[in-house]
Amino acid sequence: MPYLTRPVLPAGSLSRTPQPTFPTGDGLVLRPWRTEDAPAVHAAFQDPVMHQWHIRAADSEEEVRGWITEWQRGWADERDAQWAVADEGDDRLLGRVALREIVLGDGVAEVAYWTTAAARGRGVAARATNALARWALDEIGFQRLELSHSVANAASCRVALKARFAVEGTKRSALLHSDGWHDMHLHARVRGD
């Protein structure tokens, strides 16, 4: 049965070129992950705040190197695209920003982020998320980016709003955290916002 529409983004929209590195224009750079980032990622995941809002833990640097290998493969497979968020001056790791659950044909992806403890309160997540959204929507041609966070995570809600992701609703009992099921706010940013 033929489709009545064409894919929003054809296969190869990401993988036909190397994953880009790009500055945010305000002191941060989004760059592909490197194996040597493993100690900094492992250290970031020892923070109790990460345990509160993320469903994954990092037991060793070796485990994190495996994650980084997965993150690097995600670009070639066009299933997700993950960037290290670093200080533009000294390349110190400040966090991560990602497009997950990519569906090129529909032009849709989910945005995710985290920051190191030292980077919190400096607008790092919002600035990186905004830069990623501009790139994905304006340069690549995605139509819609979605972002979800626990309704109890007020800081993540502030990040989403600062990055111009409108609140669309609440998904009830949508994600199991270590302390039980959480309702999740759904935000989105679409091309033209």
Side-chain angles (χ1 to χ4, degrees):
M1 180 177 343
Y3 287 96
L4 298 175
T5 60
R6 293 188 314 184
V8 175
L9 293 167
S13 291
L14 299 178
S15 65
R16 72 174 173 254
T17 61
Q19 184 177 357
T21 295
F22 52 96
T24 63
D26 56 10
L28 305 176
V29 65
L30 307 184
R31 62 163 174 78
W33 286 97
R34 303 179 202 135
T35 304
E36 57 266 25
D37 292 320
V41 173
H42 180 259
F45 271 80
Q46 304 318 300
D47 178 5
V49 172
M50 293 291 270
H51 297 179
Q52 182 178 7
W53 302 120
H54 294 271
I55 60 172
R56 207 167 183 186
D59 291 332
S60 68
E61 289 180 19
E62 182 63 30
E63 178 183 12
V64 171
R65 279 190 282 282
W67 296 358
I68 291 171
T69 298
E70 289 175 27
W71 295 342
Q72 292 166 332
R73 281 190 203 130
W75 180 264
D77 297 343
E78 297 186 313
R79 60 182 157 72
D80 58 45
Q82 313 244 0
W83 282 265
V85 179
D87 183 283
E88 191 172 26
D90 62 12
D91 199 42
R92 182 173 26 96
L93 181 68
L94 302 174
R96 165 235 188 199
V97 67
L99 297 176
R100 303 185 315 178
E101 308 293 330
I102 294 171
V103 182
L104 290 175
D106 293 339
V108 175
E110 177 186 8
V111 173
Y113 48 81
W114 53 258
T115 57
T116 64
R120 287 195 198 112
R122 298 175 30 206
V124 169
R127 290 159 38 212
T129 300
N130 188 48
L132 178 62
R134 280 193 322 262
W135 174 82
L137 295 166
D138 300 341
E139 292 184 36
I140 300 302
F142 279 88
Q143 174 60 31
R144 177 181 171 85
L145 301 177
E146 296 183 348
L147 187 160
S148 293
H149 64 82
S150 170
V151 297
N153 190 342
S156 195
C157 195
R158 286 191 301 273
V159 167
L161 294 172
K162 285 180 185 176
R164 298 183 13 233
F165 279 72
V167 178
E168 292 193 336
T170 302
K171 300 188 303 183
R172 297 177 302 127
S173 292
L175 189 63
L176 181 61
H177 283 63
S178 60
D179 63 350
W181 288 97
H182 282 234
D183 291 351
M184 303 292 285
H185 274 165
L186 173 64
H187 296 253
R189 184 166 160 179
V190 299
R191 196 178 327 161
D193 278 355

